[in-house]
Amino acid sequence: MSWAVVARKDFQDARLSKALWAITGVFVLLSAGMAVLYATVPALSQDIGELSTLGYLTLLLAAMTLFVSIAAIVIGAGAIAGERDRGSSKLLLGFPHSRADVILGKLVGRTAVLGVAILVGLAVTLAVIVALFPTFSPVDYAVFAVVTLLFALVYVGIMVAVSATTGSGGRAMAFGVGVFVLLEFLGDLLAPAVMFVVNGFSFDGLTTVPGWYAFLNIVTPSAAYQNALGWFLGDGTSAALSLGGMLNGPVPFYLTGWASVAVLVVWLVVPLVLGYRIFAAADL
């Protein structure tokens, strides 16, 4: 359980830092503020016609995706590279911690930091919902919290893996921002680009799309997170149901919420394994 020692120390250090309190404050303002806006601005709930937990969570989803992604960069990018930059990694590894313990401990500790911010924000927002909404669905709220914590774990894992590949905190942050741009912006171009090439460098004549095109649309971490929530909350706006309609048939298994959870697990494991291999071979 050496990794648990690293995780506990990492979380205790973060608890005393301004970063944790700043991230928590930003999320409380974001989450509770959007709940107040949803309850007081009729245009935001006109599609459903009444205030509901599901309607609010649907409104919050895009902002939550961006918040978790950026917060994970801030929290995770310097997790290991920062230690190497300051020279404290040699001291850390002087204790009976393996390099795998360091990576796993940093993953758990940094995820706990982001998880606390998310849970505090959702707890404060719950008070707003109970006060302003006519009804409240604890099941929908719990599903949203659990899947969001999984997304936070995945994104922090990606950033810890990035951090393990370099000995400079500055480069780790730059690499983290590059990965964010690649996943959140260029990732949306992957499916159309492949379709354009496969269709003879043209989009002419396309009335339906093949299954692989639909899957490529939800293969990035943020798209998988949103698809999983759309599926489990069943609001009818998920990419899976939309793309299933484009397929002109039943939704295939690889577009379901459970398939998206599997995609998130792959995004958690593969970068960490690659990051560990580089960190294990690095000369500190």
Side-chain angles (χ1 to χ4, degrees):
M1 297 296 285
S2 185
W3 63 266
V5 177
V6 178
R8 186 165 53 250
K9 177 66 167 56
D10 207 47
F11 181 76
Q12 288 173 343
D13 291 344
R15 188 182 59 183
L16 301 176
S17 74
K18 295 179 181 177
L20 172 60
W21 299 107
I23 291 173
T24 302
V26 169
F27 183 63
V28 168
L29 291 175
L30 172 69
S31 180
M34 290 190 70
V36 172
L37 286 175
Y38 177 72
T40 56
V41 179
L44 295 178
S45 59
Q46 64 182 3
D47 290 343
I48 298 178
E50 62 179 2
L51 298 179
S52 69
T53 307
L54 182 58
Y56 162 68
L57 294 177
T58 303
L59 178 67
L60 180 64
L61 183 55
M64 178 64 89
T65 304
L66 189 61
F67 168 80
V68 171
S69 305
I70 294 176
I73 296 173
V74 175
I75 292 173
I80 295 174
E83 297 265 9
R84 293 174 65 182
D85 221 1
R86 295 187 296 272
S88 55
S89 58
K90 293 181 180 178
L91 177 63
L92 180 63
L93 290 170
F95 292 96
H97 305 313
S98 67
R99 300 194 185 196
D101 291 332
V102 172
I103 287 187
L104 183 57
K106 293 290 183 181
L107 170 67
V108 174
R110 303 291 165 124
T111 302
V113 172
L114 184 52
V116 166
I118 292 171
L119 291 178
V120 170
L122 290 178
V124 173
T125 304
L126 179 59
V128 177
I129 291 175
V130 171
L132 299 179
F133 290 20
T135 60
F136 170 66
S137 171
V139 174
D140 286 350
Y141 209 67
V143 169
F144 184 87
V146 170
V147 179
T148 299
L149 289 174
L150 173 62
F151 179 54
L153 172 67
V154 170
Y155 232 105
V156 171
I158 292 172
M159 290 303 141
V160 169
V162 168
S163 186
T165 64
T166 177
S168 165
R171 280 200 298 272
M173 184 61 71
F175 291 163
V177 172
V179 169
F180 170 75
V181 172
L182 183 66
L183 293 178
E184 302 302 327
F185 297 101
L186 298 183
D188 293 339
L189 302 177
L190 177 62
V194 175
M195 175 64 81
F196 181 74
V197 174
V198 171
N199 199 48
F201 297 94
S202 171
F203 290 115
D204 294 339
L206 291 175
T207 55
T208 61
V209 296
W212 60 261
Y213 176 87
F215 181 73
L216 288 179
N217 272 280
I218 57 170
V219 79
T220 63
S222 57
Y225 162 65
Q226 294 183 356
N227 187 64
L229 274 177
W231 180 269
F232 292 126
L233 295 177
D235 67 349
T237 62
S238 69
L241 297 180
S242 175
L243 292 169
M246 292 174 64
L247 291 168
N248 196 25
V251 176
F253 75 93
Y254 49 81
L255 298 181
T256 65
W258 290 112
S260 289
V261 169
V263 170
L264 287 173
V265 172
V266 171
W267 276 110
L268 173 63
V269 174
V270 173
L272 283 173
V273 170
L274 295 176
Y276 167 72
R277 291 177 66 88
I278 295 174
F279 183 53
D283 182 8
L284 302 181

